[in-house]
mmCIF file of all heavy atoms in Angstrom:
data_model
loop_
_atom_site.group_PDB
_atom_site.id
_atom_site.type_symbol
_atom_site.label_atom_id
_atom_site.label_comp_id
_atom_site.label_asym_id
_atom_site.label_seq_id
_atom_site.Cartn_x
_atom_site.Cartn_y
_atom_site.Cartn_z
ATOM 1 N N PRO B 1104 -23.800 40.158 10.110
ATOM 2 C CA PRO B 1104 -22.878 40.998 10.857
ATOM 3 C C PRO B 1104 -23.030 40.908 12.379
ATOM 4 O O PRO B 1104 -22.078 41.157 13.099
ATOM 5 C CB PRO B 1104 -23.221 42.400 10.374
ATOM 6 C CG PRO B 1104 -24.640 42.308 9.924
ATOM 7 C CD PRO B 1104 -24.880 40.904 9.505
ATOM 8 N N GLU B 1105 -24.182 40.537 12.846
ATOM 9 C CA GLU B 1105 -24.403 40.718 14.285
ATOM 10 C C GLU B 1105 -23.600 39.776 15.194
ATOM 11 O O GLU B 1105 -22.747 40.229 15.934
ATOM 12 C CB GLU B 1105 -25.913 40.669 14.577
ATOM 13 C CG GLU B 1105 -26.511 42.015 14.287
ATOM 14 C CD GLU B 1105 -28.000 41.943 14.047
ATOM 15 O OE1 GLU B 1105 -28.440 41.079 13.271
ATOM 16 O OE2 GLU B 1105 -28.712 42.743 14.640
ATOM 17 N N PRO B 1106 -23.847 38.465 15.161
ATOM 18 C CA PRO B 1106 -22.989 37.629 16.006
ATOM 19 C C PRO B 1106 -21.719 37.290 15.228
ATOM 20 O O PRO B 1106 -21.788 36.651 14.198
ATOM 21 C CB PRO B 1106 -23.840 36.372 16.233
ATOM 22 C CG PRO B 1106 -24.927 36.423 15.217
ATOM 23 C CD PRO B 1106 -24.834 37.679 14.432
ATOM 24 N N SER B 1107 -20.586 37.707 15.719
ATOM 25 C CA SER B 1107 -19.371 37.517 14.948
ATOM 26 C C SER B 1107 -18.926 36.065 15.067
ATOM 27 O O SER B 1107 -18.781 35.534 16.158
ATOM 28 C CB SER B 1107 -18.264 38.433 15.464
ATOM 29 O OG SER B 1107 -17.753 37.934 16.668
ATOM 30 N N THR B 1108 -18.734 35.419 13.921
ATOM 31 C CA THR B 1108 -18.363 34.010 13.925
ATOM 32 C C THR B 1108 -16.902 33.814 14.300
ATOM 33 O O THR B 1108 -16.482 32.715 14.569
ATOM 34 C CB THR B 1108 -18.613 33.397 12.535
ATOM 35 O OG1 THR B 1108 -18.232 34.343 11.569
ATOM 36 C CG2 THR B 1108 -20.063 33.021 12.364
ATOM 37 N N SER B 1109 -16.128 34.889 14.297
ATOM 38 C CA SER B 1109 -14.706 34.733 14.584
ATOM 39 C C SER B 1109 -14.426 34.716 16.083
ATOM 40 O O SER B 1109 -13.288 34.618 16.504
ATOM 41 C CB SER B 1109 -13.925 35.868 13.940
ATOM 42 O OG SER B 1109 -14.378 37.098 14.480
ATOM 43 N N ASN B 1110 -15.474 34.790 16.857
ATOM 44 C CA ASN B 1110 -15.283 34.799 18.305
ATOM 45 C C ASN B 1110 -14.576 33.526 18.752
ATOM 46 O O ASN B 1110 -15.065 32.436 18.539
ATOM 47 C CB ASN B 1110 -16.661 34.874 18.972
ATOM 48 C CG ASN B 1110 -16.559 35.538 20.317
ATOM 49 O OD1 ASN B 1110 -15.678 35.180 21.105
ATOM 50 N ND2 ASN B 1110 -17.420 36.496 20.567
ATOM 51 N N PRO B 1111 -13.396 33.639 19.379
ATOM 52 C CA PRO B 1111 -12.653 32.420 19.714
ATOM 53 C C PRO B 1111 -13.299 31.682 20.874
ATOM 54 O O PRO B 1111 -13.831 32.282 21.795
ATOM 55 C CB PRO B 1111 -11.280 32.945 20.109
ATOM 56 C CG PRO B 1111 -11.524 34.342 20.566
ATOM 57 C CD PRO B 1111 -12.729 34.845 19.829
ATOM 58 N N ALA B 1112 -13.229 30.358 20.798
ATOM 59 C CA ALA B 1112 -13.764 29.553 21.897
ATOM 60 C C ALA B 1112 -12.807 29.611 23.070
ATOM 61 O O ALA B 1112 -11.620 29.419 22.899
ATOM 62 C CB ALA B 1112 -13.917 28.115 21.434
ATOM 63 N N PRO B 1113 -13.301 29.868 24.273
ATOM 64 C CA PRO B 1113 -12.425 30.035 25.433
ATOM 65 C C PRO B 1113 -11.533 28.834 25.699
ATOM 66 O O PRO B 1113 -10.368 28.984 25.984
ATOM 67 C CB PRO B 1113 -13.416 30.234 26.582
ATOM 68 C CG PRO B 1113 -14.694 30.642 25.964
ATOM 69 C CD PRO B 1113 -14.701 30.086 24.588
ATOM 70 N N LYS B 1114 -12.113 27.624 25.565
ATOM 71 C CA LYS B 1114 -11.352 26.429 25.910
ATOM 72 C C LYS B 1114 -10.287 26.107 24.878
ATOM 73 O O LYS B 1114 -9.328 25.420 25.166
ATOM 74 C CB LYS B 1114 -12.296 25.224 26.040
ATOM 75 C CG LYS B 1114 -13.147 25.260 27.281
ATOM 76 C CD LYS B 1114 -12.396 24.712 28.467
ATOM 77 C CE LYS B 1114 -13.124 25.050 29.758
ATOM 78 N NZ LYS B 1114 -12.375 24.621 30.933
ATOM 79 N N ALA B 1115 -10.513 26.565 23.673
ATOM 80 C CA ALA B 1115 -9.640 26.143 22.579
ATOM 81 C C ALA B 1115 -8.210 26.597 22.790
ATOM 82 O O ALA B 1115 -7.273 25.910 22.422
ATOM 83 C CB ALA B 1115 -10.168 26.675 21.266
ATOM 84 N N ALA B 1116 -8.044 27.737 23.408
ATOM 85 C CA ALA B 1116 -6.714 28.287 23.557
ATOM 86 C C ALA B 1116 -5.882 27.505 24.576
ATOM 87 O O ALA B 1116 -4.678 27.619 24.614
ATOM 88 C CB ALA B 1116 -6.807 29.748 23.985
ATOM 89 N N ASN B 1117 -6.556 26.693 25.389
ATOM 90 C CA ASN B 1117 -5.871 25.993 26.465
ATOM 91 C C ASN B 1117 -4.840 24.994 25.985
ATOM 92 O O ASN B 1117 -3.910 24.670 26.685
ATOM 93 C CB ASN B 1117 -6.882 25.243 27.344
ATOM 94 C CG ASN B 1117 -7.646 26.195 28.209
ATOM 95 O OD1 ASN B 1117 -7.331 27.383 28.222
ATOM 96 N ND2 ASN B 1117 -8.633 25.699 28.928
ATOM 97 N N ASN B 1118 -5.059 24.459 24.811
ATOM 98 C CA ASN B 1118 -4.217 23.363 24.393
ATOM 99 C C ASN B 1118 -3.645 23.584 23.013
ATOM 100 O O ASN B 1118 -4.328 23.438 22.012
ATOM 101 C CB ASN B 1118 -5.032 22.068 24.416
ATOM 102 C CG ASN B 1118 -4.113 20.891 24.596
ATOM 103 O OD1 ASN B 1118 -3.071 20.829 23.944
ATOM 104 N ND2 ASN B 1118 -4.483 19.980 25.477
ATOM 105 N N ALA B 1119 -2.385 23.896 22.991
ATOM 106 C CA ALA B 1119 -1.763 24.185 21.715
ATOM 107 C C ALA B 1119 -1.574 22.921 20.889
ATOM 108 O O ALA B 1119 -1.599 22.961 19.668
ATOM 109 C CB ALA B 1119 -0.414 24.859 21.944
ATOM 110 N N ALA B 1120 -1.427 21.770 21.575
ATOM 111 C CA ALA B 1120 -1.160 20.525 20.865
ATOM 112 C C ALA B 1120 -2.336 20.123 19.984
ATOM 113 O O ALA B 1120 -2.167 19.440 18.994
ATOM 114 C CB ALA B 1120 -0.858 19.410 21.863
ATOM 115 N N GLN B 1121 -3.546 20.528 20.365
ATOM 116 C CA GLN B 1121 -4.716 20.132 19.590
ATOM 117 C C GLN B 1121 -5.374 21.351 18.968
ATOM 118 O O GLN B 1121 -6.558 21.578 19.126
ATOM 119 C CB GLN B 1121 -5.708 19.413 20.493
ATOM 120 C CG GLN B 1121 -5.309 17.991 20.763
ATOM 121 C CD GLN B 1121 -6.487 17.168 21.194
ATOM 122 O OE1 GLN B 1121 -7.548 17.689 21.464
ATOM 123 N NE2 GLN B 1121 -6.307 15.872 21.259
#
Side-chain angles (χ1 to χ4, degrees):
Chain B
E1105 278 159 312
S1107 75
T1108 40
S1109 61
N1110 208 312
K1114 287 277 167 184
N1117 286 354
N1118 205 316
Q1121 282 201 350

